[in-house]
Amino acid sequence: MSVSLPRAGRIAILGTSLVQQNHFGDRTLLATSARGWMSWAEVLSHGRLACPVHHDPRVLSGWEPSNRQGVSRFFSGLNFGVSGQKAIEIERRLPGLLEWDFDLVIVDAGTNDMMVETRQAIARTRARIASTLLDAGKTVILLPILARSVGKWPAGGAERAKAHWINRQSIEFAAANGNCHIFDWNAAWVDPDNEFGEPFEGYSNDGTHFSVLGGFAVGRQLARYLQSIVPWAPDRVLARDDRFDPVNNPLGNLASELDARAITASGEASHSLGGEIAHPGVGVWVEATCDVDVPAHEGVLGISLRLKDGAEDGQEVIALAPFHGDDGRPFPFPSTAWRGTLRTPPLKLKPGQRAPELHLHVILRQNAMPIEIALARIDVRPVPSPVRA
């Protein structure tokens, strides 16, 4: 098999809840999640990496989260994660997955099998999944079994030992198969000073899944890792005269203002962006993108880009939506400075005359210091329909 460079804009992710939770939706919205490692990889790569999804309320057999019959993920696209699934269930979904257009796929499988399957059976199923994808001409990146807290897998227990053995088998499999690689998300997740290999404090909300800090750490490492595998495209350029014109430039920028500064004094604030936004027509798909420069700050609980259809029953799409705990409070964002590109999922405009609205939504801790965020290259643009014919 020849080795080729995969497209950075067609990255698929396959697996369990650790994959599905990069996105979430309901009847009225679709969002990339701030707890998502792929969400952060897209942001911190300045938009050069993409795992595109779109709103889809259908219930698909075999794709129901946690095997709850009649429940939808509310999205389709290149996020092929389904919560609660064992490796064999992931393997059964491969024929449907291979109907989609992508070059590179990041694979998580086996974490939900650890208490019910042997280490050999889990390793074999992981190898079959990877082999099927490789035989289809895809570049495969295997994710090791992600470490958990001792509250989920007891210290010195069988699950922790099995995970280490399976992960070593994956390293050997990748070494023996062209176009197969390992991305060790445990390297960014596990506290090296912890005796039992648990995740860093604050990286998980429950000892198994990602909080915002955990998603940020893994996503930042993934963005760096993929620089050696996918072409690193030049920086995004936005010409000021690339404006929407229904006759001569129907794919032009709908926003009239390309730069802004958002100052949030306290609590929650929604900052209007883009100036006067043109309406490109009913049924048109649009998405929003902007660069953000976030200073170091101890009190950030949310920074999200929100594009809302102006129609009365219009939907909303969100980039980097905050992640809330069971108590309703959002988990903290990183306190370090970071720069990146926020890009919403695409939004199909419903009947109506009101133009879409674009906002930067910021949440600060109570009594936190004010924050000023610089925004540049604000882009609201018609895009091709993401729905497969």
Side-chain angles (χ1 to χ4, degrees):
M1 178 185 299
S2 63
V3 177
S4 59
L5 288 174
R7 291 168 293 176
R10 304 296 301 177
I11 296 176
I13 52 179
L14 168 66
T16 64
S17 56
L18 298 172
V19 169
Q20 180 184 319
Q21 289 170 355
N22 279 280
H23 300 91
F24 68 90
D26 59 25
R27 293 284 175 186
T28 63
L29 68 83
L30 176 61
T32 67
S33 175
R35 75 188 304 195
W37 45 272
M38 189 65 214
S39 303
W40 278 108
E42 293 184 73
V43 169
L44 298 175
S45 71
H46 297 275
R48 294 166 178 142
L49 305 174
C51 175
V53 300
H54 61 275
H55 192 261
D56 185 354
R58 294 178 301 163
V59 175
L60 302 177
S61 178
W63 294 74
E64 296 140 307
S66 301
N67 292 313
R68 293 173 293 165
Q69 291 191 349
V71 175
S72 173
R73 297 187 310 159
F74 285 100
F75 60 82
S76 288
L78 299 192
N79 181 337
F80 300 119
V82 178
S83 64
Q85 288 201 332
K86 296 180 174 59
I88 190 66
E89 294 172 304
I90 294 170
E91 183 181 22
R92 292 185 189 127
R93 293 193 286 114
L94 290 177
L97 178 151
L98 288 171
E99 294 176 359
W100 288 81
D101 175 29
F102 63 91
D103 299 326
L104 182 149
V105 57
I106 303 173
V107 178
D108 147 56
T111 186
N112 293 326
D113 304 63
M114 298 298 289
M115 296 183 179
V116 295
E117 296 287 353
T118 66
R119 57 186 169 86
Q120 295 90 346
I122 297 170
R124 284 195 299 269
T125 307
R126 283 169 57 90
R128 288 199 308 270
I129 291 170
S131 296
T132 298
L133 294 165
L134 291 168
D135 290 346
K138 308 302 182 183
T139 298
V140 174
I141 297 177
L142 281 175
L143 296 171
I145 303 293
L146 189 69
R148 301 191 184 191
S149 73
V150 295
K152 299 296 183 176
W153 290 345
E159 293 79 21
R160 309 188 85 83
K162 287 164 63 175
H164 288 304
W165 186 88
I166 293 164
N167 292 346
R168 178 56 55 181
Q169 297 301 304
S170 294
I171 291 172
E172 295 180 3
F173 178 90
N177 289 271
N179 284 348
C180 188
H181 312 274
I182 296 287
F183 171 68
D184 188 2
W185 52 1
N186 282 317
W189 169 256
V190 170
D191 181 352
D193 295 326
N194 183 279
E195 181 181 359
F196 305 112
E198 296 181 279
F200 280 103
E201 182 71 25
Y203 275 27
S204 177
N205 67 305
D206 60 3
T208 298
H209 302 93
F210 292 93
S211 68
V212 177
L213 296 181
F216 175 82
V218 170
R220 179 173 56 182
Q221 182 161 305
L222 179 61
R224 293 170 180 166
Y225 174 85
L226 289 176
Q227 291 185 60
S228 63
I229 294 177
V230 300
W232 201 241
D235 202 7
R236 188 168 63 95
V237 176
L238 193 60
R240 291 194 172 274
D241 66 345
D242 182 10
R243 296 290 306 281
F244 172 80
D245 181 290
V247 176
N248 297 311
N249 191 17
L251 299 180
N253 192 356
L254 303 169
S256 62
E257 295 179 3
L258 307 186
D259 306 287
R261 303 192 79 81
I263 301 175
T264 303
S266 62
E268 292 191 43
S270 188
H271 304 277
S272 180
L273 301 180
E276 184 177 348
I277 297 178
H279 196 308
V282 173
V284 173
W285 289 84
V286 297
E287 70 178 23
T289 310
C290 79
D291 297 344
V292 294
D293 192 340
V294 181
H297 194 286
E298 295 289 340
V300 177
L301 300 176
I303 297 174
S304 55
L305 184 67
R306 299 173 177 239
L307 178 65
K308 186 161 190 330
D309 188 350
E312 184 175 345
D313 61 343
Q315 296 178 330
E316 183 177 24
V317 287
I318 306 172
L320 219 57
F323 169 52
H324 295 81
D326 293 337
D327 59 4
R329 293 185 294 182
F331 279 82
F333 266 52
S335 59
T336 56
W338 57 274
R339 299 172 63 244
T341 299
L342 303 181
R343 177 172 52 211
T344 69
L347 171 69
K348 186 177 182 179
L349 299 178
K350 293 192 173 183
Q353 299 299 316
R354 291 181 57 190
E357 301 172 1
L358 183 66
H359 293 86
L360 184 78
H361 192 74
V362 180
I363 308 174
L364 297 181
R365 291 184 192 273
Q366 190 174 11
N367 301 321
M369 296 291 291
I371 188 172
E372 181 174 349
I373 299 172
L375 302 106
R377 289 180 283 193
I378 299 168
D379 192 11
V380 183
R381 190 176 296 271
V383 294
S385 170
V387 179
R388 293 186 302 160

